[in-house]
């Protein structure tokens, strides 16, 4: 299942047309073009494997489903008769609830499996597990420790595999972040994101996608907690390609300077509990406060993927009007629904394409 589709672009003089696996929907937006988008059957392991237009398409579908299901109260059984395997090596609130309720809301049947139910790669090889699951369900969402386990699962499965989180990437979280910012600002292009915290999987996902939307990224991490050098190189290349600004620093205020969005995450991820005291010492001075916001752009906002600890961001910011964290949490549902619908069906959004 590890493969990419080619996509085509051509220009014309008619209204913009979106074509998805032979189905077309017309909408007005910007210059007239025709886009061929094929996501059905794909894996969703990392945003690095998705083009700017493909990621925008997923956000468009998310906006469409949110409008139709939440606001218009439409019943859309797009996944009726389909089932989803949910493998969770790590506990979760938002990933489990958003996926399980979202898949069911669309008429499908989610099957939740923990390490007590399935021993991925231990009692049964990942290869054998992938083939068994492929024969019984229509897709797999896996929240695991190792990205390599996801890649092997996807290689051996004949159904789409979705990354629900790994130690090196968290693409479904970033879709929710971008949808939240899209709704708040009306457009993503030109925004400056400031990451203040650990060089972790969430930051990796931002680094592999922000430039594709024309967003700048300013990153502050303590010495020794920088992001993966391979991911940093990719981010630098994207910055040049898309004409955006990207830099790394150890100074939180330098990273926050002029930023539209201040972002942080847990300093101690699952599996890092033994490093707690060392990490708390290293991250002294990295808490986001209103003082941090004073050097940011007027109208700045705050994101955190949750769960949050007070040392990462104080209550004044976390519960302030600038904080978008609870909208961000809700949007995990609409964006994962968009991923599942796009990988499993021929659905085309009915809502006019948002401005990105």
């Amino acid at each position: 299942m590890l493969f990419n589709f080619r996509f085509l672009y051509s220009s014309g003089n008619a209204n913009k047309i979106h074509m998805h696996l032979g189905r077309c929907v017309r909408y007005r937006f910007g210059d007239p073009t025709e886009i061929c988008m094929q996501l059905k059957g794909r894996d969703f392991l990392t945003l690095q494997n998705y083009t700017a237009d493909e990621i925008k398409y997923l956000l468009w579908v998310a906006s469409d489903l949110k409008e139709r299901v939440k606001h218009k109260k439409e019943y859309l059984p797009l996944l009726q008769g389909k089932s989803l395997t949910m493998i969770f090596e790590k506990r979760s609130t938002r990933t489990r609830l958003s996926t399980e309720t979202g898949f069911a809301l669309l008429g499908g049947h989610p099957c939740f499996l923990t390490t007590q139910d399935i021993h991925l790669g231990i009692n049964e090889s990942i290869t054998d597990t992938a083939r068994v699951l492929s024969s019984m369900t229509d897709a797999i969402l896996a929240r695991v420790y190792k990205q390599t386990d996801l890649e092997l699962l996807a290689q051996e499965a004949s159904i789409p595999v979705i990354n629900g989180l790994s130690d090196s990437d968290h693409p479904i979280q970033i879709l929710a972040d971008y949808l939240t910012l899209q709704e708040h600002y009306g457009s993503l292009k030109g925004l400056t994101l400031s990451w203040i915290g650990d060089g972790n999987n969430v930051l990796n996902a931002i680094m592999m996608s922000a430039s594709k939307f024309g967003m700048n990224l300013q990153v502050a991490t303590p010495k020794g907690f920088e992001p993966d050098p391979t991911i940093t190189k990719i981010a630098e290349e994207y910055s040049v390609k898309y004409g955006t600004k990207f830099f790394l620093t150890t100074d939180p205020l330098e990273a926050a300077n002029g930023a539209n969005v201040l972002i942080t995450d847990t300093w101690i991820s699952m599996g890092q509990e033994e490093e707690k005291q060392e990490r708390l010492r290293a991250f002294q001075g990295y808490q986001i406060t209103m003082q941090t916001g004073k050097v940011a752009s007027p109208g700045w906002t705050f994101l955190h993927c949750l769960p949050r600890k007070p040392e990462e961001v104080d209550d004044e910011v976390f519960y302030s009007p600038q904080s978008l964290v609870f909208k961000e949490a809700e949007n995990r549902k609409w964006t994962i629904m968009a991923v599942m619908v796009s990988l499993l069906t021929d659905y085309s959004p009915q809502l006019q394409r948002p401005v990105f």
Side-chain angles (χ1 to χ4, degrees):
M1 292 299 296
L2 289 174
F3 60 91
N4 288 312
F5 286 98
R6 294 185 180 273
F7 53 93
L8 306 173
Y9 300 90
S10 61
S11 46
N13 297 314
N15 290 335
K16 199 172 205 180
I17 301 176
H18 170 266
M19 183 177 295
H20 184 239
L21 294 173
R23 298 181 60 195
C24 300
V25 55
R26 295 177 180 271
Y27 56 90
R28 296 180 181 275
F29 171 73
D31 296 329
T33 61
E34 183 178 279
I35 301 176
C36 294
M37 198 70 64
Q38 294 184 328
L39 301 184
K40 187 177 181 181
R42 293 271 296 271
D43 296 312
F44 190 75
L45 304 185
T46 172
L47 292 174
Q48 184 184 359
N49 293 343
Y50 278 68
T51 67
D53 282 314
E54 289 170 339
I55 302 171
K56 290 174 184 178
Y57 178 79
L58 290 171
L59 294 179
W60 180 18
V61 175
S63 296
D64 177 86
L65 294 175
K66 187 174 183 179
E67 174 66 21
R68 296 187 67 187
V69 176
K70 179 180 179 179
H71 298 296
K72 294 185 177 180
K73 308 299 181 184
E74 294 184 44
Y75 176 54
L76 299 177
L78 302 172
L79 300 178
Q80 187 170 1
K82 297 186 183 298
S83 56
L84 173 74
T85 299
M86 300 169 57
I87 300 173
F88 278 64
E89 289 187 334
K90 293 184 175 184
R91 62 186 181 273
S92 166
T93 299
R94 282 146 295 277
T95 301
R96 178 178 178 179
L97 280 175
S98 61
T99 304
E100 194 166 321
T101 61
F103 202 82
L105 186 60
L106 294 167
H109 179 72
C111 307
F112 180 72
L113 301 172
T114 70
T115 53
Q116 303 304 311
D117 307 300
I118 183 173
H119 296 276
L120 193 65
I122 300 176
N123 287 347
E124 185 173 35
S125 70
I126 293 177
T127 294
D128 292 356
T129 298
R131 295 179 183 182
V132 170
L133 297 180
S134 296
S135 71
M136 297 184 182
T137 61
D138 298 281
I140 301 167
L141 179 137
R143 184 179 178 94
V144 300
Y145 284 96
K146 299 178 182 177
Q147 180 77 11
T148 52
D149 286 350
L150 275 172
E151 292 169 355
L152 180 57
L153 191 64
Q155 177 181 311
E156 297 298 332
S158 59
I159 56 178
V161 175
I162 301 167
N163 183 352
L165 175 143
S166 71
D167 280 357
S168 63
D169 211 333
H170 199 359
I172 59 173
Q173 175 61 52
I174 303 314
L175 288 183
D177 291 1
Y178 291 170
L179 179 62
T180 304
L181 296 178
Q182 163 71 28
E183 292 174 338
H184 183 83
Y185 289 102
S187 176
L188 298 176
K189 187 175 182 180
L191 292 180
T192 295
L193 311 180
S194 170
W195 177 273
I196 300 173
D198 192 17
N200 64 10
N201 51 3
V202 178
L203 175 58
N204 288 345
I206 295 175
M207 290 170 65
M208 290 188 287
S209 59
S211 288
K212 295 178 181 181
F213 287 87
M215 292 188 286
N216 306 306
L217 179 58
Q218 303 173 174
V219 176
T221 60
K223 189 174 181 179
F225 295 89
E226 299 88 352
D228 186 314
T230 302
I231 305 300
T232 299
K233 183 178 179 181
I234 293 170
E236 291 170 343
E237 292 172 351
Y238 282 170
S239 180
V240 173
K241 178 178 179 179
Y242 294 100
T244 61
K245 181 172 67 173
F246 168 70
F247 70 80
L248 301 175
T249 180
T250 57
D251 184 352
L253 292 182
E254 182 181 7
N257 187 45
N260 303 104
V261 189
L262 304 180
I263 314 172
T264 193
D265 187 19
T266 182
W267 297 345
I268 305 159
S269 297
M270 283 176 278
Q272 297 175 336
E273 289 80 6
E274 293 182 359
E275 305 172 23
K276 180 176 180 178
Q277 295 307 316
E278 175 192 352
R279 284 177 166 268
L280 289 177
R281 286 192 296 269
F283 284 87
Q284 286 293 317
Y286 276 75
Q287 183 191 48
I288 294 180
T289 67
M290 286 297 177
Q291 289 297 116
T292 317
K294 284 185 176 180
V295 302
S297 177
W300 61 272
T301 54
F302 172 75
L303 295 178
H304 190 303
C305 70
L306 307 180
R308 158 262 184 180
K309 302 292 189 300
E311 61 264 22
E312 299 150 5
V313 53
D314 67 11
D315 284 355
E316 187 178 9
V317 170
F318 188 75
Y319 294 109
S320 71
Q322 289 95 326
S323 177
L324 304 178
V325 295
F326 296 109
K327 294 179 181 178
E328 177 188 12
E330 181 197 340
N331 280 335
R332 287 290 303 279
K333 180 168 184 170
W334 305 109
T335 47
I336 191 60
M337 287 168 65
V339 170
M340 296 185 296
V341 164
S342 298
L343 302 189
L344 290 175
T345 77
D346 296 337
Y347 180 74
S348 293
Q350 306 301 305
L351 185 73
Q352 180 173 313
R353 184 178 187 268
V355 177
F356 294 105

